[in-house]
Amino acid sequence: MAGGAFADADTLKRAYLYEYKITGYFIFACIVAALGGSLFGYDLGVSGGVTSMDDFLKEFFPKVYRRKQQHLDETDYCKYDNQVLTLFTSSLYFAGLISTFGASYVSRKYGRRGSILVGATSFFLGAVLNAAAVNIAMLIIGRIFLGVGIGFGNQAVPLYLSEMAPAKIRGAVNQLFQLTTCLGILIANFINYGTEQLHPWGWRLSLGLATVPATLMFIGGVFLPETPNSLVEQGKLEEGRRVLEKVRGTTNVDAEFADLVDASNAARAVEHPFRNLLQRRNRPQLIIGALGIPAFQQLTGMNSILFYAPVIFQSLGFGSGASLYSSIFTSGALVVGALISMSLVDKFGRRAFFLEAGCEMILCMAAVAITLALKFGQGETLPKGIGFFLVIVICLFVLAYGRSWGPLGWLVPSEIFPLETRSAGQSVVVCVNLLFTALIAQCFLVSLCHLQYGIFLLFGGLIIIMSSFIFFLLPETKQVPIEEVYLLWQNHWFWKKIVTETDQASDSDGKSTLQV
């Protein structure tokens, strides 16, 4: 049944036979796996704070430090326009996008758990190197190790959570990844706020504490069960059924296990999963899941705010301590947004959150741009009232992102690929996501310098485009079993013209099957 590779109408729609209970074993597995999000989140939060700390800038980027001191209390978009400084942030994501293809092989060959363990180990080594850095080369090498860790973790964790979760609560379970990402960002901002007072080594503590989530993830990963989907894919049928029974809390798993076996049989027939992604029947997953959503998630402008929240607020005239304090509010809004999404996404659906929050994000970007257009001036101090208004609007933007593009940007791609291309598809998702993350990280500060308030208008226009993309092309996937999502494409007004081009194909036994 492999999500649409070969279809048998009599055996596809049997999700109503699935049974499950929420077991302690299931909860443990999901919490440990979700720690992978804390690696991503902690780095997102800590890197922006560290790059605004005076001690860090004096040691590695003295030119940026001197420029910052000249405009300490003024509105100056160009304070941090330094490509080596942005390379410190973006090098991690370039490393991550390359490593995700290795993660695909490990995840498919050795299981999702194997990728999680590799990711935790690499992230730990990167954190140690960064904390001990004495020159820019050590910083960049450490960031590369961190990037490899995030590449493996982001490839495996969303898949793991989606495969372990029952269909009716898959949205909430998968969003544990986003929740731990948001919590990682929030904790990192609190740590930055404290370590900024520890001169001259506070930044080392901020970077070194990344070893804590990596250690927890590795130790937990040692005891982590592999997903039933992955075990069946590896040919370990008895173990796969045993884990499925334990995770679901019932021995009545015949229907779900049969779907897994059918999906696995089709998956093993695919020798080149990356090439299979390009086939016509996988066109919706490729365009929506592998390319569109992960790229658009970064083009909202959200990660620019997460990377550089302290930098942005300092550029707008906030002092060093005040800027870190303001970034705590934004990351707190992100956590609240994730909790809202977890609670309601399986009730109201993915499309509703994408579209409602998209409208709010457009209005927020317009408000920020108009405010800065009216009040911006080179060397002009930004009034406190305007500054607080900007913090509130940015928090509203973050809250909208936190319940839509943030969690759903990982949830939707992880649930729409058929098993035979799921690992490869998730690798492309992570690769595209990290590519655009790296490009945004590398280009944002120079764009802020040259476009000024126009950068926020640009992001607002992009959100209009991506909301239209969702409205016209994404069907609702809530509570649809992961191995039956492909049926949605056959009933969609646009995609059915592509995926229902049928022809008679012979399988390896010479029997005629319907290829969709």
Side-chain angles (χ1 to χ4, degrees), residues 87-88 91-92 95 122-123 125-130 133 135-148:
L87 182 63
F88 166 75
S91 58
L92 178 149
S122 183
F123 197 88
L125 294 174
V128 171
L129 274 173
N130 270 183
N135 53 50
I136 292 177
M138 283 187 70
L139 281 178
I140 300 300
I141 292 171
R143 297 289 290 175
I144 290 172
F145 273 100
L146 291 171
V148 172

Side-chain angles (χ1 to χ4, degrees), residues 394-452:
I394 288 175
C395 283
L396 290 175
F397 175 87
V398 172
L399 183 64
Y401 174 90
R403 65 177 185 271
S404 60
W405 282 95
L408 302 184
W410 294 106
L411 167 61
V412 173
S414 73
E415 65 184 3
I416 65 175
F417 289 102
L419 183 60
E420 69 265 22
T421 60
R422 192 170 298 153
S423 182
Q426 186 67 14
S427 287
V428 178
V429 170
V430 175
C431 180
V432 171
N433 184 285
L434 293 180
L435 173 62
F436 278 84
T437 302
L439 292 175
I440 292 292
Q442 191 66 27
C443 298
F444 177 73
L445 290 182
V446 67
S447 300
L448 182 66
C449 177
H450 293 287
L451 296 178
Q452 301 177 6

Side-chain angles (χ1 to χ4, degrees), residues 174-508:
N174 184 276
Q175 289 189 56
L176 284 171
F177 177 77
Q178 179 68 11
L179 178 62
T180 55
T181 299
C182 299
L183 289 172
I185 295 169
L186 179 61
I187 291 169
N189 280 314
F190 273 113
I191 289 173
N192 283 339
Y193 186 71
T195 58
E196 192 208 13
Q197 314 302 320
L198 303 175
H199 304 289
W201 52 272
W203 62 270
R204 294 187 185 276
L205 182 59
S206 285
L207 296 177
L209 285 175
T211 57
V212 175
T215 301
L216 293 174
M217 183 174 166
F218 182 86
I219 294 174
V222 171
F223 302 99
L224 203 64
E226 186 54 79
T227 70
N229 310 60
S230 181
L231 290 169
V232 171
E233 187 179 17
Q234 296 173 55
K236 302 175 181 178
L237 300 184
E238 292 184 7
E239 186 179 354
R241 184 182 178 100
R242 187 164 60 251
V243 171
L244 183 62
E245 290 177 353
K246 198 169 183 180
V247 168
R248 296 291 180 257
T250 177
T251 58
N252 190 14
V253 295
D254 292 344
E256 185 172 3
F257 187 71
D259 278 347
L260 294 183
V261 172
D262 289 342
S264 176
N265 290 336
R268 278 197 293 270
V270 177
E271 296 181 5
H272 305 287
F274 283 100
R275 188 185 304 169
N276 189 261
L277 272 175
L278 301 176
Q279 293 185 7
R280 188 181 184 92
R281 65 172 179 266
N282 292 321
R283 199 67 50 79
Q285 296 95 315
L286 175 67
I287 293 175
I288 295 177
L291 301 176
I293 288 179
F296 286 143
Q297 187 190 47
Q298 302 312 312
L299 294 175
T300 58
M302 182 60 224
N303 271 2
S304 299
I305 293 173
L306 293 180
F307 291 151
Y308 301 118
V311 171
I312 290 172
F313 289 128
Q314 283 195 26
S315 296
L316 298 178
F318 289 72
S320 179
S323 68
L324 288 173
Y325 192 67
S326 299
S327 66
I328 289 173
F329 279 104
T330 59
S331 54
L334 196 61
V335 173
V336 173
L339 290 172
I340 292 172
S341 188
M342 282 184 66
S343 302
L344 301 175
V345 72
D346 285 315
K347 179 179 181 181
F348 294 108
R350 286 60 161 153
R351 282 169 52 87
F353 274 94
F354 269 129
L355 298 174
E356 176 273 327
C359 294
E360 185 177 332
M361 292 163 70
I362 293 166
L363 294 175
C364 289
M365 286 290 97
V368 171
I370 292 170
T371 302
L372 295 179
L374 295 174
K375 294 297 180 181
F376 169 77
Q378 183 71 24
E380 178 182 319
T381 301
L382 196 69
K384 285 187 178 180
I386 299 298
F388 289 132
F389 172 75
L390 289 174
V391 172
I392 292 172
V393 173
I394 288 175
C395 283
L396 290 175
F397 175 87
V398 172
L399 183 64
Y401 174 90
R403 65 177 185 271
S404 60
W405 282 95
L408 302 184
W410 294 106
L411 167 61
V412 173
S414 73
E415 65 184 3
I416 65 175
F417 289 102
L419 183 60
E420 69 265 22
T421 60
R422 192 170 298 153
S423 182
Q426 186 67 14
S427 287
V428 178
V429 170
V430 175
C431 180
V432 171
N433 184 285
L434 293 180
L435 173 62
F436 278 84
T437 302
L439 292 175
I440 292 292
Q442 191 66 27
C443 298
F444 177 73
L445 290 182
V446 67
S447 300
L448 182 66
C449 177
H450 293 287
L451 296 178
Q452 301 177 6
Y453 63 85
I455 189 68
F456 299 101
L457 289 177
L458 175 61
F459 284 134
L462 289 170
I463 296 170
I464 292 174
I465 294 172
M466 63 186 71
S467 296
S468 300
F469 177 87
I470 294 297
F471 181 80
F472 290 109
L473 296 181
L474 180 67
E476 183 53 65
T477 57
K478 71 172 182 179
Q479 299 186 8
V480 179
I482 196 169
E483 302 303 343
E484 296 183 7
V485 169
Y486 78 94
L487 292 169
L488 297 175
W489 315 121
Q490 298 177 12
N491 297 313
H492 188 269
W493 72 272
F494 176 77
W495 294 119
K496 68 181 180 181
K497 303 172 186 176
I498 296 174
V499 301
T500 56
E501 293 286 336
T502 59
D503 59 278
Q504 292 298 318
S506 297
D507 61 15
S508 57

